[in-house]
Amino acid sequence: MKVRTRSSAIIGTICLVASLALTTASADEPAAARQTAQITLRQVATAKNPTAGAAGPGGRLWVAERAGTVRVLGDKGGLGKPVLDISAETTTDGERGLLGIAFDRKHAHFYISFTNLEGTSTVDEFAVRKGRIQPHTRRTVLTQTQPYANHNGGDIKIGPDGYLYIALGDGGSGGDPHGNGQNLGTLLGKLLRIDPRGGTPYAIPADNPFVNTPGAKGEIWSYGLRNPWRFSFDAGTGDLLIGDVGQNDWEEIDWAPASSRGGENYGWGQMEGTHPFRGGTEPVNHVPPVHEYDRSNFGCSVTGGYVYRGKAIPALRGQYVFSDYCDGTIRSLEMKNGKVTAVNDLGVNGGEIISFAQDRNGELYVFTIGGSLSRIDAA
């Protein structure tokens, strides 16, 4: 998420995303755009500043709206009345709000990620019974104070291992003034991995990479992130992909294989993509992005998406679908063994794309800040 400045992330009244411009298969020279799949966007609903979606009970898509409501997409389209409303507990100031939702694998627990009225990043849990949230079971799992009103991150996902992953930005302002990205003593600028049901309020998995590192936070799975604006796990392979918003020049997509044991350092705030930031030195353990693009060509804020695993568009299967908030073109990466082999322009512009969602069948949805919810269909 970011504000429309060259150092933050989102534009306009909502101020929400992070930056990404369509890159190329090579960091140095744009690859020729290719079109391997023919797609179209079919609008299925309208929301108020949608920020995240998750496949819920009965296979229905649950949609988070930034001001604090959650609504469910009906079988015939359209969103129902709110099934959850925390609008009195959050704010849309800066890049704040309800930023992420997730279900555990049995749809027995529902998680929300939001910034409270003080701006503190908060993850709460609710029990779910017969497809309904049980408000009386609500409890706070994790909190993290934020020094500024931008770069909250806020995306959450249940990983293939059943643990809860939480993305947090570097704390905001610009240029990572507190050095949080490389500091293992803070949760800011990190991807976290916790067991929300394993302790009070949660447990740290024993195999997390920094559990035994003096001075490091055991919750950290990977670090060196500026403002991870949407991450996902490939439903086919378990691989992790992160769209991380850049500072001034470069947008990036990071990747880790399902076999990873964590600990990846994605470089911020010493690196912006594959480039030293403000004279910084590349860390010896830097894991460069699998894809980056130069904002001078297009875009301003990457919107990370998903690897397509649906059946409606066979030519798109296995490709990572993403966009950029400012550019709006839907693109995809073809990858092999952790390397990008092609970058494709899918020939559709969705406008100010703030987020993607994936339903239980692997089909993908596109959310715009203006409120449209559209499914990616075959043209």
Side-chain angles (χ1 to χ4, degrees), residues 22-65:
L22 208 322
T23 336
T24 72
S26 156
D28 299 316
E29 185 173 339
R34 305 196 323 150
Q35 202 168 338
T36 59
Q38 300 293 317
I39 69 168
T40 187
L41 295 181
R42 177 175 176 264
Q43 186 166 341
V44 296
T46 300
K48 185 176 181 181
N49 301 146
T51 52
R60 293 186 173 183
L61 190 70
W62 290 41
V63 177
E65 297 173 308

Side-chain angles (χ1 to χ4, degrees), residues 214-294:
K217 296 287 187 181
E219 296 92 338
I220 297 171
W221 180 251
S222 55
Y223 65 110
L225 295 167
R226 181 178 181 272
N227 189 29
W229 191 249
R230 302 314 173 210
F231 71 94
S232 63
F233 293 94
D234 182 343
T237 65
D239 296 346
L240 168 69
L241 292 115
I242 306 170
D244 195 23
V245 179
Q247 173 75 29
N248 293 327
D249 302 310
W250 297 92
E251 300 298 313
E252 71 181 77
I253 293 172
D254 299 307
W255 174 87
S259 60
S260 169
R261 296 184 178 182
E264 288 87 358
N265 177 5
Y266 296 115
W268 180 254
Q270 292 175 237
M271 304 291 292
E272 185 180 7
T274 60
H275 311 269
F277 178 69
R278 293 181 179 173
T281 301
E282 183 174 16
V284 293
N285 63 341
H286 178 222
V287 177
V290 292
H291 183 65
E292 66 176 4
Y293 60 88
D294 184 347

Side-chain angles (χ1 to χ4, degrees), residues 2-12 15 95 299-300 325-326:
K2 71 184 196 180
V3 222
R4 174 74 178 205
T5 67
R6 290 183 65 80
S7 59
S8 281
I10 277 196
I11 304 174
C15 289
E95 295 175 8
C300 79
Y325 178 78
C326 299

Side-chain angles (χ1 to χ4, degrees), residues 55-93:
R60 293 186 173 183
L61 190 70
W62 290 41
V63 177
E65 297 173 308
R66 187 184 174 203
T69 48
V70 178
R71 298 197 284 162
V72 181
L73 183 65
D75 293 335
K76 297 182 179 181
L79 295 176
K81 295 180 179 179
V83 296
L84 182 67
D85 186 348
I86 63 161
S87 56
E89 304 173 45
T90 188
T91 174
T92 56
D93 175 57

Side-chain angles (χ1 to χ4, degrees), residues 334-363:
E334 296 181 41
M335 297 180 61
K336 184 176 182 180
N337 299 324
K339 304 292 184 182
V340 172
T341 58
V343 182
N344 302 315
D345 181 337
L346 298 182
V348 172
N349 191 295
E352 296 174 324
I353 296 176
I354 191 85
S355 194
F356 288 85
Q358 184 181 55
D359 68 18
R360 68 172 178 177
N361 297 317
E363 303 302 334

Side-chain angles (χ1 to χ4, degrees), residues 103-109 158-163:
F103 284 93
D104 65 13
R105 290 185 289 185
K106 295 183 177 180
H107 295 153
H109 297 93
I158 295 293
D161 52 16
Y163 291 132

